[in-house]
Amino acid sequence: MIPLVKVAFPPKEILLPALESVLYSGQIAEGQQVYDFEAALEAQFGLSNVLAMSSGTAALHAALTLAGVLPGDEVISTPMTAEPTNTSILYCGAKVLWADVDPSSGNICPDSIRKNITKKTKAIVVVHYAGYPVSLRKIRAIADEFNIALIEDCAHALGATYDGKPIGTIGDFGIFSFQAIKHMTTVDGGALTMKNPGHVLAAKKFRWFGMLKGVPRTEVDIHSVGFKYNMNNVNATIGIAQLKHIAPILEKHISNGNYYDTEFEKIPGIDYARCDTEANPSFWLYTLLSDHADDIEKALNSSGVMASKLHRPNNLHSIFSHSSVELPSLEKFYQRLLHIPCGWWVTDEDRARIVEVIKRG
Ligand SMILES: *Cc1c(COP(=O)(O)O)cnc(C)c1O
C-alpha cells in the first residue's frame, strides 16, 4: 500500500551519532540544542521570534494566551482541522465560534469570519489545511480592521508561502507541529512564532512554569501561570538533523502536488483544492475534490493506494455542541473531499499510476 502519511528521518549515520552524543552529554533538558534549533528554524524558513515547544498544541495554547484570550471571550476558528486547533481554545475558557469554509479549498472563509465578529472576539485562528494557505490578504485586513489577533496554525504548512512571505509570518502568531506524521518530525514537538518581539519574554515564561531559564532557582519569582511546555535537547537534536534534510522532502511534496493539479485539470469530474494566486501550498496532503469521492476512494484502496478523509469536522464533537451552527459549505466540501498520497515517498511512477486509476475510475 502507498500510505497517505509517512514518518521521515534523516539517515542513521547522521542522526544516531548526534543522538548518542546528546543522550550521554548529561544535558538532556532544555539547553543549547533547543536554542540552536530555534535559530536554525528562523534562518531556514525566514521566521522571526521562534520558540521551540513540546508540541504544536502547547504552541497554540501559548499563542491564544499571549493574544489575551480569557474565560468568556470568543475565538473565531475553522472546524475543518485536527482537533487541537480548537480544543486549545477551550483550555483558555473561551468559546469557539465556527466560521464556515470556502468549499473550493476547505479553508476558513473570510466573509464568514467577518460575520462572526462580536465585541467578545479576541482572536481569529486560521489553519492552512493540508498545506494550502488561507486567504491571508483578506483575513489580515479583517484582523487589522477590528484590532483582533490573527493566529496561523501552520501544522500542515511548513515550507508554504503567501505573497512571497513564509507561512506563519503574516499572522500575529504562528504555530508549527513536529509531531510524528507532519512534514518534519522531532518525534513530538512544536514551535511558536511571534510578530511582536515584545511577547517573547512572556512566552518563555509561559512555556516553563512561569519562570525564566538562567535566573537562579532560589531567586526566581513566579507571577503568572506557566506550563511545562518547553522542548528538550533530545527532540531539538533530532530537529537540527531533520532541518539539514528537509528541503528535498518539501520539494517532493510540492512537485507531486503541482503534478496532480496539472493532471486533474484534464479529467472531467475531478477537481482539487484551490487557493489565492499569492499562495504556494506545501501539500502535506493532496486535497482532491469530486462528487464521486467515495467511489474514487474505493478504486484507489483496491489498487494498493491509501486514500481517505483524515479529520472529522470538529463541530461534530460533543464538546463543541454549545457552538453548533449551520455550516453548509463545510458539508459540501467534506462530502467531496478525498486526500491522496502526495508526500516524499510517492515516486514519479506512483503518482502516474494514481492518476491512471482515477482516470479509469
Ligand atoms: C498536528 C496538529 C496540531 C497539533 O500538533 P501537536 O504537535 O500534535 O500537538 C495542531 N493543529 C493541526 C492542524 C495539526 O494537524
Side-chain angles (χ1 to χ4, degrees), residues 256-279:
N256 284 340
N258 289 330
Y259 170 85
Y260 287 137
D261 280 2
T262 309
E263 293 301 313
F264 294 152
E265 197 68 56
K266 303 178 227 160
I267 309 180
I270 305 294
D271 203 356
Y272 52 86
R274 293 163 193 270
C275 30
D276 294 355
T277 50
E278 295 98 318

Side-chain angles (χ1 to χ4, degrees), residues 291-350:
D291 292 339
H292 310 290
D294 289 348
D295 295 336
I296 300 167
E297 178 172 339
K298 284 189 199 106
L300 285 169
N301 288 343
S302 60
S303 307
V305 179
M306 292 257 288
S308 68
K309 305 180 198 295
L310 212 71
H311 299 110
R312 186 175 189 220
N314 292 182
N315 58 310
L316 302 178
H317 288 291
S318 302
I319 199 164
F320 294 115
S321 53
H322 64 292
S323 293
S324 184
V325 282
E326 295 287 307
L327 299 165
S329 296
L330 171 69
E331 267 178 46
K332 182 173 171 215
F333 172 81
Y334 196 67
Q335 243 165 28
R336 304 183 73 230
L337 163 67
L338 184 66
H339 294 303
I340 62 173
C342 169
W344 56 272
W345 59 95
V346 177
T347 64
D348 290 4
E349 297 77 52
D350 289 339

Side-chain angles (χ1 to χ4, degrees), residues 212 214-220:
L212 273 184
V215 180
R217 212 46 190 262
T218 50
E219 291 164 31
V220 76

